Amino acid sequence: ETGVTQSPTHLIKTRGQQVTLRCSSQSGHNTVSWYQQALGQGPQFIFQYYREEENGRGNFPPRFSGLQFPNYSSELNVNALELDDSALYLCASSPSGGITDTQYFGPGTRLTVL
Amino acid sequence: AQTVTQSQPEMSVQEAETVTLSCTYDTSESDYYLFWYKQPPSRQMILVIRQEAYKQQNATENRFSVNFQKAAKSFSLKISDSQLGDAAMYFCAYRGIQGAQKLVFGQGTRLTINP
């Protein structure tokens, strides 16, 4: 069974640019959540996708957007990057979006905005 | 809105000893889930243990156990027989049963194991 994978591992961008981060769900999982973890902080929920539809969003501006594909992999897109967007971005998948599910995390993408 | 508080930024323990990490949360919901996740330097968040609020029995996973006090909104993690591999950031997290599977995390506790 393949776990959650994310790419790239590290990324450096400049302010104002756009970035796309990718996540492959664990086999058999149809729900993906994205979290932002600033240095020294706990992760914060960005949004969740269930069967290709966004079904929940945290307190993040619209320049944070996402997609989920038919194979349940996912992308996180961030437009007009700001310095405060520098963080570890974590993707987590779960089997069915049900309330009893546990989320399994990937290793994260470290984004640095200069 | 739900909040999770971990009041111990750092903890240390001698190898083979027992350590307890504290967590409190605030919610108006009656049903929810609580989790402890471990984040080693590799960055990957690993589930340590989970507790369903409707269960009175405290969850246990090998050397890891919790003390869940629902009325006090307290959820501490006890690690017995600490091992060097237990060194990591530990995050307490809350998840309600309504809507998306949104995890609300605390600020984390850095656990150091002294040989």
Side-chain angles (χ1 to χ4, degrees):
Chain A
E1 185 178 270
T2 306
V4 180
T5 60
Q6 292 185 244
S7 62
T9 304
H10 297 91
L11 201 53
I12 299 175
K13 291 286 188 178
T14 57
R15 194 170 48 184
Q17 285 188 313
Q18 178 267 341
V19 68
T20 297
L21 310 182
R22 294 177 175 83
C23 170
S24 291
S25 304
Q26 187 164 319
S27 177
H29 288 189
N30 61 19
T31 303
V32 172
S33 302
W34 286 92
Y35 294 83
Q36 180 195 65
Q37 186 178 17
L39 195 62
Q41 305 291 319
Q44 287 195 301
F45 177 74
I46 303 175
F47 45 55
Q48 181 178 89
Y49 279 81
Y50 170 66
R51 292 186 174 182
E52 304 177 57
E53 297 287 331
E54 184 183 297
N55 75 332
R57 189 178 184 92
N59 189 27
F60 280 82
R63 59 188 186 85
F64 285 78
S65 62
L67 280 174
Q68 188 180 31
F69 301 99
N71 66 354
Y72 303 131
S73 65
S74 177
E75 286 182 354
L76 165 65
N77 299 290
V78 188
N79 294 322
L81 283 167
E82 301 176 0
L83 297 180
D84 285 348
D85 296 333
S86 295
L88 179 67
Y89 288 85
L90 296 167
C91 164
S93 74
S94 57
S96 65
I99 61 172
T100 60
D101 281 1
T102 291
Q103 293 183 35
Y104 296 90
F105 284 81
T109 293
R110 172 75 65 191
L111 173 65
T112 301
V113 182
L114 302 176
Chain B
Q2 295 83 18
T3 59
V4 176
T5 302
Q6 294 179 247
S7 59
Q8 305 155 315
E10 297 185 0
M11 293 282 286
S12 64
V13 64
Q14 292 295 124
E15 194 175 2
E17 296 294 308
T18 296
V19 64
T20 299
L21 308 184
S22 300
C23 172
T24 58
Y25 58 95
D26 188 29
T27 183
S28 58
E29 298 178 314
S30 58
D31 285 330
Y32 46 86
Y33 293 82
L34 297 165
F35 303 84
W36 279 98
Y37 279 90
K38 166 186 175 181
Q39 188 177 41
S42 65
R43 308 179 323 197
Q44 187 150 8
M45 202 75 79
I46 301 165
L47 177 67
V48 174
I49 199 166
R50 81 178 221 172
Q51 174 80 43
E52 291 83 356
Y54 64 86
K55 290 187 178 178
Q56 293 185 337
Q57 187 172 5
N58 290 323
T60 300
E61 289 287 342
N62 300 314
R63 299 182 294 108
F64 299 87
S65 61
V66 299
N67 183 5
F68 173 49
Q69 301 290 327
K70 190 173 184 180
K73 295 180 181 174
S74 170
F75 182 61
S76 60
L77 174 70
K78 185 172 82 171
I79 306 174
S80 303
D81 185 27
S82 297
Q83 301 176 358
L84 295 178
D86 294 334
M89 283 292 291
Y90 284 81
F91 290 96
C92 178
Y94 169 101
R95 194 187 83 207
I97 63 169
Q98 301 295 331
Q101 297 174 336
K102 169 186 172 182
L103 286 168
V104 178
F105 286 88
Q107 298 283 72
T109 296
R110 181 174 301 281
L111 178 64
T112 301
I113 312 294
N114 300 312

